[in-house]
Amino acid sequence: MGNNYGAKTKLVMVHPRDIATVAAGELQNSFEGKSHRYVVSDEREISEIVKILGVAIGKPALPWVQFSDEESFAGMSAAGMSGAIAGTYVEMGHAISSGILFEDFNRHIPEVWGPTKLADFTKEFAAVYNSRFAK
């Protein structure tokens, strides 16, 4: 696994099920104007995420590789992604690496987090991965 940010970078994660639960609750409330709310389930360093996912799929030595921007862009382009989208992903990698992506989140960390943690997602991920790629 890899991208243009380092293994010690923290990622905030959310499971779609947790988003759906919060969205359903918000739709039942009345409000006017504009509002936003962060929905988050877990936060981990990339190195930890990769290790947990690797163990779950029987690849405990699965590495995290930090690519240069050029390598990231070239890899995505070679996989058929448009230049515009690949460029946006490279830009997002910078925002993750620099911390700018999470600046507002870090100022407004929700008190209540979703119940679906990385360990829960890992079971779902491994089941799908193993059904498609296991030998």
Side-chain angles (χ1 to χ4, degrees), residues 1-133:
M1 294 179 69
N3 210 319
N4 63 335
Y5 45 87
K8 294 295 180 189
T9 304
K10 282 194 171 186
L11 280 186
V12 175
M13 300 166 282
V14 64
H15 194 284
R17 184 171 44 245
D18 294 346
I19 296 171
T21 299
V22 170
E26 291 294 328
L27 288 170
Q28 294 176 27
N29 297 325
S30 62
F31 66 92
E32 292 183 24
K34 297 178 182 179
S35 67
H36 74 276
R37 176 178 172 182
Y38 286 109
V39 182
V40 61
S41 304
D42 210 343
E43 180 180 38
R44 305 281 182 113
E45 284 187 357
I46 291 292
S47 58
E48 189 178 8
I49 295 167
V50 172
K51 180 165 184 59
I52 290 168
L53 293 176
V55 167
I57 62 172
K59 297 182 179 203
L62 184 66
W64 176 261
V65 179
Q66 183 173 353
F67 300 112
S68 69
D69 294 344
E70 296 77 20
E71 291 169 325
S72 294
F73 186 87
M76 288 182 273
S77 296
M81 191 175 286
S82 74
I85 299 296
T88 300
Y89 272 103
V90 170
E91 184 180 348
M92 183 173 62
H94 277 288
I96 291 169
S97 182
S98 71
I100 195 169
L101 185 67
F102 302 115
E103 282 180 352
D104 190 69
F105 170 80
N106 288 330
R107 286 192 301 270
H108 302 97
I109 296 173
E111 290 182 26
V112 178
W113 287 31
T116 311
K117 304 303 177 201
L118 179 60
D120 303 310
F121 169 75
T122 300
K123 294 171 192 166
E124 297 172 29
F125 174 78
V128 172
Y129 180 90
N130 290 328
S131 74
R132 294 183 182 175
F133 302 109

